[in-house]
Structure formats: C-alpha cells, structure tokens
Amino acid sequence: MGSNTGAEARPELSAALSGEELSRWYWTLAELTVLARELGVPRGGGKAALTERLQAALDGVAPPTAPPRTRSAGRQLVAPVNGFTVIPAGQRCSQVLREYFRREIGEGFHFDASMRTFVAEGAGRTLADAVAHWHATRQAAARPQEIGSQFELNRFLRDYYAERPAGSRTEALAAWRAQRDRPRRPAAG
C-alpha cells in the first residue's frame, strides 16, 4: 500500500484495450458489465467469469467454455418445518430455513460458509442435523476465515486494519481507491 506517485494512470475501460491490459487493472463488476454489453459478451456468471470472457473478446479468441449449470430447480422447503424435516436435494438457504434456525439457535444465527455447504450438500439429512452441525462448527467458525479472491475490497480492508488498527473507515476507503487505481502487475514487454 505504497504511494501512487509517478505511477501510470488507469486506462479508460474500452474495446481498445487488450485482454492483458484489462487484467492488469481493478474493474468493478458494473464497469465490466457495461463493456460486456458494448461488446455483446454474455454478462452472467460472476466477475471472474465475465473478466475471462472479456479478455477473450478483446484478444479476438474463443471465449472459455462455460461449465454446465448444475443448480437443481428441485422443490424447496415451505413452512412449517421442524427438526424432523428432511432437506431435499437442491435446497437453498431460504427465509424458511433462516426463520427455523433463528427459532432453534437464536438471533445470532446466520448462514456462514459451513451452514451454506451443509444445506447444499445435506440432502437426506434433517433440520435437527443442521442445528447440531451449527453448534459443532462454532469453534472453527470463530477463527479468522479465508476471504475469497473475488472479494478484493474485503481482503484489502482486512489487511489495512491489521496494519492500522486505529485507522478510520474514511482513510481505509481512500487507501482502497488509491490501490485499485494502480496496476496489479507491470506491463508486459
């Protein structure tokens, strides 16, 4: 998080960029979506997938093949549910489940990574099993968790506050804006 003095300026996001140049800079999903619309590139699939498709389009190569959609459109649980209710295949972390878990666990309940995985992969298990899983995973959930690479702002803020515990949010966001306006790596060549 050094100074930006003498650094090259972030280019305008346009069809004139190369795929390599696109990948050198931080772009918001909103910015990438505008470029995708301009280039006629499909906009779905998240920021990483969209960036890959844009890089291919800018370089004039075939886009990466999209993995087949695996999301099951199976039946979702509806209220009322109880501890004997079996989780169906394709169940999502719904408001019905959130309400049930808040009644059983308390207001501190939230769908963390462990619970999202349990619900997604828990077909055939009961909601009582899910409550037991919540309680069994609280110690591990209390430890610092890895922040996914797609959450660049969150990673930056975690590192910023680790280095500057007394830093203000205003200062942290100003540092983030300076960071994202610098290239991620030097230009090739």
Side-chain angles (χ1 to χ4, degrees), residues 19 22 32 35-36 39 41 49-59:
L22 176 81
L32 294 172
L35 181 61
L39 296 175
V41 170
L50 177 57
T51 301
E52 284 185 42
R53 286 193 301 277
L54 285 170
Q55 286 173 302
L58 291 169
D59 289 342

Side-chain angles (χ1 to χ4, degrees), residues 16 78 108 130 152 170 179:
V78 295
E152 294 174 78
T170 301
Q179 172 75 16

Side-chain angles (χ1 to χ4, degrees), residues 13-150:
L13 184 58
S14 73
L17 291 177
S18 68
E20 172 66 23
E21 191 64 9
L22 176 81
S23 69
R24 290 185 62 228
W25 300 90
Y26 174 86
W27 308 101
T28 66
L29 180 58
E31 290 171 316
L32 294 172
T33 300
V34 169
L35 181 61
R37 190 173 291 120
E38 177 184 322
L39 296 175
V41 170
R43 297 180 301 274
K47 185 176 176 182
L50 177 57
T51 301
E52 284 185 42
R53 286 193 301 277
L54 285 170
Q55 286 173 302
L58 291 169
D59 289 342
V61 299
T65 57
R69 294 193 67 139
T70 58
R71 185 174 207 156
S72 168
R75 221 177 68 162
Q76 299 293 299
L77 292 175
V78 295
V81 295
N82 61 43
F84 298 106
T85 301
V86 175
I87 300 170
Q91 177 64 45
R92 292 187 295 274
C93 297
S94 66
Q95 288 303 318
V96 169
L97 291 185
R98 183 181 313 279
E99 289 169 15
Y100 169 77
F101 291 136
R102 285 209 169 140
R103 275 194 320 271
E104 295 298 313
I105 295 168
E107 287 300 313
F109 172 79
H110 59 279
F111 283 111
D112 60 12
S114 178
M115 285 300 286
R116 288 190 303 272
T117 300
F118 187 92
V119 170
E121 299 173 358
R125 297 163 110 180
T126 66
L127 293 183
D129 294 333
V131 170
H133 175 77
W134 167 266
H135 291 298
T137 58
R138 291 311 84 202
Q139 188 174 15
R143 291 191 290 266
Q145 305 295 312
E146 180 63 28
I147 300 173
S149 61
Q150 71 272 34

